[in-house]
């Protein structure tokens, strides 16, 4: 009936790891707060089909009041006669990974705001010389120039643009490109 008969390792739900209180309970009996009845019905259907499940993510508030996220994977197992016995699986606490993923957009906004606050024209290049991002001052400069920097925006290859410059600005463009290539190397 998909009830726990044994458990060791990471806590599942608000239960402590290895806690005898988890035995006899199903996953849907535990205090997860990110699954609806439809989600549980879908999971029960998977179990009835004896399907392997991977990375079922469930969240809960721990006994210490912290938000925790776990990932469960399981596969059916049978006895020697091929009779279904239940599921065997693994639980991983993925809270730190999810928090890092959630923090990334905030970090990106902070980095963008920091770059935009600079009055100097700044662009960030990858190892190939492609502009990954540029601040507001750079975008205004690039839109208003002819020659070096003209129409060189995010997604453009700055080194290739420098290599294409002709005329009086060629020497400056070559020097800038050489310096950037040295830094990249």
């Amino acid at each position: 009936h998909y009830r726990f008969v044994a458990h060791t390792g990471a806590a599942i739900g608000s239960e402590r790891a290895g806690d005898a209180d988890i035995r006899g309970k199903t996953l849907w009996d535990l205090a997860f707060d990110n699954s609806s009845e439809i989600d549980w019905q879908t999971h029960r259907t998977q179990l009835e089909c004896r399907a392997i499940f991977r990375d079922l993510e469930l969240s809960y508030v721990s006994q210490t009041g912290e938000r925790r996220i776990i990932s469960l994977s399981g596969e059916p197992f049978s006895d020697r006669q091929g009779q279904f016995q239940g599921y065997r699986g693994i639980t991983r606490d993925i809270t730190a990974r999810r928090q890092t993923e959630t923090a990334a957009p905030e970090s990106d906004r902070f980095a963008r705001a920091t770059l935009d606050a600079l009055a100097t024209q700044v662009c960030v290049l990858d190892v190939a010389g492609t502009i990954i991002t540029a601040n507001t001052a750079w975008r205004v400069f690039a839109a208003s120039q002819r020659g070096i920097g003209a129409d060189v925006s995010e997604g453009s290859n700055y080194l290739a643009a420098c290599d294409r410059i002709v005329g009086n600005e060629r020497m400056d463009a070559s020097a800038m490109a050489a310096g950037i290539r040295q830094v990249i190397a």
Side-chain angles (χ1 to χ4, degrees), residues 171-185:
M171 189 177 298
D172 289 339
S174 293
M176 283 190 286
I180 292 168
R181 286 184 174 107
Q182 274 188 317
V183 170
I184 290 173

Side-chain angles (χ1 to χ4, degrees), residues 139-159:
R139 290 190 300 275
V140 168
F141 170 79
S144 67
Q145 294 299 306
R146 294 179 175 258
I148 297 175
D151 259 349
V152 181
S153 58
E154 293 171 353
S156 301
N157 188 295
Y158 184 75
L159 297 176

Side-chain angles (χ1 to χ4, degrees), residues 9-119:
I12 295 182
S14 59
E15 312 298 331
R16 292 185 307 274
D19 195 341
D21 290 342
I22 200 170
R23 281 184 281 190
K25 293 182 180 178
T26 64
L27 275 175
W28 46 93
D29 290 334
L30 302 175
F32 295 112
D33 55 15
N34 67 327
S35 296
S36 67
E37 185 53 41
I38 293 171
D39 295 327
W40 288 124
Q41 185 57 47
T42 301
H43 183 63
R44 285 191 291 264
T45 301
Q46 286 179 307
L47 298 177
E48 290 296 329
C49 293
R50 310 295 186 249
I52 294 172
F53 63 94
R54 299 267 186 255
D55 300 320
L56 174 64
E57 291 188 18
L58 301 168
S59 71
Y60 63 96
V61 176
S62 72
Q63 293 173 339
T64 62
E66 297 174 277
R67 163 102 13 232
R68 306 302 301 174
I69 303 169
I70 61 171
S71 172
L72 287 96
S73 296
E75 58 185 52
F77 70 96
S78 303
D79 61 17
R80 289 193 172 129
Q81 291 75 37
Q83 187 71 26
F84 173 73
Q85 295 296 302
Y87 272 81
R88 183 177 297 146
I90 187 168
T91 305
R92 294 176 294 130
D93 187 320
I94 60 169
T95 304
R97 184 179 77 192
R98 285 289 178 241
Q99 287 171 338
T100 300
E101 291 169 357
T102 303
E106 183 61 32
S107 177
D108 289 346
R109 281 191 294 278
F110 178 76
R112 169 63 79 180
T114 301
L115 280 176
D116 284 342
L118 299 172

